[in-house]
Amino acid sequence: MALIVQKYGGTSVGSIERIKEVAESVIESREKGNRLVVVLSAMAGQTDALIRLSKEVTETPDLRELDVLMATGEQASVSLFAMAVKSMGYDCCSLLGFQAAIYTDQIHGKARIKNIDADRILKELKERGIVAVAGFQGIDDGSNITTLGRGGSDTTAVALAAAIGASVCEIYTDVEGIFSADPNVCARARKLDRISYEEMLEMASLGAKVLDIRSVEFAKKFNVPIHVRSSFNRNEGTMVVAESKEMEKILVSGVVLDKNEARITVAKLPDRPGNAFRIFDPIFKAGIVVDMIVQNPSAEGRVDLTFTVTKTHFQETLKLVDEVAREIGAEKVLGDQDIAKVSIVGLGMRNHAGVASKMFETLARENINIGLISTSEIKISCVIEGKYAELAVRALHDAFGLGNGGEKN
Ligand code: ASP
Ligand code: MG
C-alpha cells in the first residue's frame, strides 16, 4: 500500500472515453490498496480553445481574468473524472487549486508555487482513497486564481507529491517514457529505464518536451521520484531519480534535437566595453530568451557576436539588433533560420575526457559543419545546418552506442 500521485495530460483525458479509461486505471491501483491523488490537465485542446475565445474579446486579455478562464479547463476534467470514478462504485472528490490549498505568487499566467497546505487533501484521501486535483492552477495571497504557465500540471503533480510525501509521482502521457533520442527521428532510439534529474533538466531545456522543466526542478529539490509512462498501455516507463554511481558510468544518455532556434551574428562589432550590453539589453527587455552566445575576435579591434533565439522571436530580435548595430558601428547583422541544434547529454562525460572529440569526429565523418558549440558539465551542443539535423542525431546515437544501452567508461 502506497501513497501515489498520478498525473494525466491532455491527450490522456482527451475524450469522455479516455476519462473513463483513466478512471478504470486509477481504480486498478486503488484496488491494490494504494491511496491516490490524481492530477489532471484540461482535455486536449481546451486550454488553447479558451485562449482563442479570450482573443475574440480582446487581443490583450487581462491576465487575471485569463487565469480565471483558463482554470475552467481543468475544472471540467477533474469533475468529469470524479463523476466517472463514483459511477464505477468508488469514492472520490475533485478539488480545484484553491480547495487543495496550492498557494502561489501573484504572477498571473506563470505563477510559482510557494507552498501547499496538504491538510484538506490528506483528509479527503483518508476518507475516500482517491482525490482528483485540478492541475495548472493555484491561488495567491489575495484569493485570486493563478495559473502556472503552459504545461504546468506536471509541476502541480510533483509539488503535491512532495507536499504529501508520496512514494512516487507517476506522469501519464502519450509516449512510453524518455527515449535516448526522438523515435520519430531515430528508429534505434531506446526507452531509458532510469535517468537522473540533472540529465532530465538538460534534456528538457534542450527541447525534449515530455516533462515540463519546472516540474523536474521541483522533483530534484524535494527528491520526488518521477515515473514517466504511457496512459495507453501498462508498460513500465522511465524513472527520473537522483543520480547514482551506476548512472555515471554511462557516457551519454541521450541525443536531443532542437530545430526551433535561429542564429543571429553581429559582424565586426567595435571591441569596446558596453557593446554586448547594448546589443542584448533591448532583447532582454522585450522578454526574449537568448540561448547560445559566442563572441570572438575578428578584424583588429573588432569582434563577431553570435547568438541564438527561438525562430518565433527571430524577426523581432533581428529588428532590435539591426538598430543598435547601426548605432554602435557594427559592420553588418546576419541571420540564419536554417539551423538545428544537436546535443548530447550524459552524467558520464563529467569525469571522462574525449566525449566532445568523439562528437566532433562523428559529425566530421558525416561531413557536417559545426557552426557553434556550447557546453555544460553534462552536455555538449552543436549548431549545424538544418538539413543535416536528422543525420546528425542518428550518427551520434550510433557513435555512443545508445541503441544498446549506451557506451560505458
Ligand atoms: N492545460 C494546461 C496547458 O494546456 C496545463 C497542462 O496541460 O499541463 O498548458
Ligand atoms: Mg504536458
Side-chain angles (χ1 to χ4, degrees):
M1 195 188 122
L3 196 52
I4 296 174
V5 173
Q6 297 190 339
K7 179 257 169 180
Y8 293 86
T11 47
S12 301
V13 293
S15 65
I16 295 301
E17 211 33 59
R18 291 290 309 150
I19 289 177
K20 288 182 180 167
E21 277 164 32
V22 168
E24 277 164 14
S25 141
V26 168
I27 286 171
E28 212 174 277
S29 180
R30 175 71 191 131
E31 274 290 298
K32 292 180 189 145
N34 298 320
R35 291 215 174 106
L36 295 116
V37 172
V38 183
V39 175
L40 301 182
S41 290
M43 295 169 75
Q46 280 306 308
T47 310
D48 289 331
L50 291 166
I51 294 171
R52 276 199 303 276
L53 269 185
S54 75
K55 300 260 165 161
E56 284 179 33
V57 178
T58 163
E59 251 316 298
T60 51
D62 179 82
L63 294 180
R64 180 190 182 279
E65 302 311 325
L66 186 59
D67 274 355
V68 176
L69 180 67
M70 286 195 292
T72 64
E74 274 71 13
Q75 176 161 355
S77 53
V78 278
S79 58
L80 291 168
F81 168 80
M83 277 175 215
V85 171
K86 287 184 151 180
S87 75
M88 294 171 187
Y90 288 78
D91 200 4
C92 173
C93 84
S94 66
L95 297 177
L96 300 181
F98 79 92
Q99 295 168 313
I102 300 171
Y103 294 105
T104 73
D105 62 19
Q106 285 136 341
I107 318 284
H108 287 291
K110 46 176 177 216
R112 291 192 151 262
I113 296 179
K114 290 198 307 194
N115 69 293
I116 295 176
D117 176 357
D119 289 354
R120 173 79 189 271
I121 295 182
L122 290 172
K123 178 176 150 279
E124 301 291 353
L125 258 187
K126 204 166 162 196
E127 263 168 46
R128 306 170 194 271
I130 304 173
V131 180
V133 179
F136 177 55
Q137 55 179 264
I139 187 169
D140 72 7
D141 288 342
S143 295
N144 301 295
I145 293 175
T146 53
T147 65
L148 308 181
R150 299 307 304 273
S153 298
D154 292 348
T155 304
T156 305
V158 174
L160 283 176
I164 66 171
S167 55
V168 62
C169 180
E170 299 180 336
I171 305 269
Y172 286 85
T173 177
D174 50 7
V175 294
E176 300 258 326
I178 310 298
F179 281 74
S180 55
D182 181 348
N184 296 316
V185 171
C186 179
R188 284 213 273 278
R190 248 181 6 104
K191 184 178 73 193
L192 304 172
D193 294 333
R194 302 164 85 72
I195 185 171
S196 66
Y197 296 128
E198 285 81 0
E199 289 166 310
M200 193 64 239
L201 280 172
E202 285 286 4
M203 287 196 188
S205 71
L206 289 168
K209 301 228 164 43
V210 182
L211 282 179
D212 189 52
I213 191 159
R214 290 158 305 164
S215 71
V216 187
E217 284 163 358
F218 233 102
K220 182 176 175 217
K221 190 163 164 198
F222 296 101
N223 208 5
V224 176
I226 300 180
H227 186 179
V228 181
R229 57 194 308 185
S230 168
S231 68
F232 294 83
N233 59 49
R234 299 284 193 267
N235 300 344
E236 292 284 308
T238 303
M239 291 300 301
V240 186
V241 291
E243 67 176 86
S244 64
K245 279 266 162 309
E246 251 335 275
M247 288 173 166
E248 279 207 343
K249 288 198 183 128
I250 296 175
L251 289 181
V252 172
S253 297
V255 184
V256 188
L257 173 62
D258 186 351
K259 290 165 93 175
N260 288 321
E261 290 193 6
R263 170 171 59 182
I264 293 174
T265 299
V266 186
K268 301 222 170 89
L269 184 68
D271 191 5
R272 254 182 258 122
N275 274 351
F277 173 68
R278 289 189 65 185
I279 295 280
F280 287 116
D281 190 45
I283 300 174
F284 296 146
K285 286 209 170 107
I288 295 167
V289 177
V290 174
D291 180 26
M292 302 166 96
I293 302 177
V294 177
Q295 180 179 285
N296 49 284
S298 57
E300 187 61 34
R302 303 255 166 179
V303 295
D304 288 341
L305 177 64
T306 300
F307 58 95
T308 62
V309 294
T310 59
K311 284 195 168 108
T312 46
H313 287 132
F314 178 66
Q315 295 299 347
E316 189 187 350
T317 311
L318 208 52
K319 242 174 87 192
L320 291 170
V321 173
D322 253 333
E323 252 165 60
V324 189
R326 217 168 305 129
E327 281 168 30
I328 54 186
E331 190 183 279
K332 61 182 170 216
V333 177
L334 306 161
D336 186 0
Q337 294 203 72
D338 185 24
I339 62 164
K341 183 172 74 172
V342 260
S343 311
I344 54 175
V345 176
L347 286 181
M349 69 177 79
R350 205 152 48 189
N351 34 30
H352 191 90
V355 174
S357 88
K358 184 161 188 172
M359 179 178 198
F360 305 151
E361 184 194 358
T362 306
L363 296 176
R365 211 180 325 114
E366 302 293 340
N367 242 325
I368 300 172
N369 194 43
I370 303 172
L372 283 175
I373 300 169
S374 82
T375 63
S376 80
E377 225 190 0
I378 61 162
K379 169 208 82 179
I380 306 166
S381 299
C382 293
V383 166
I384 60 172
E385 235 182 289
K387 67 178 178 199
Y388 294 122
E390 286 78 12
L391 173 64
V393 171
R394 289 192 283 266
L396 291 168
H397 196 271
D398 280 348
F400 287 98
L402 294 182
N404 322 308
E407 192 182 318
K408 304 220 166 131
N409 67 33

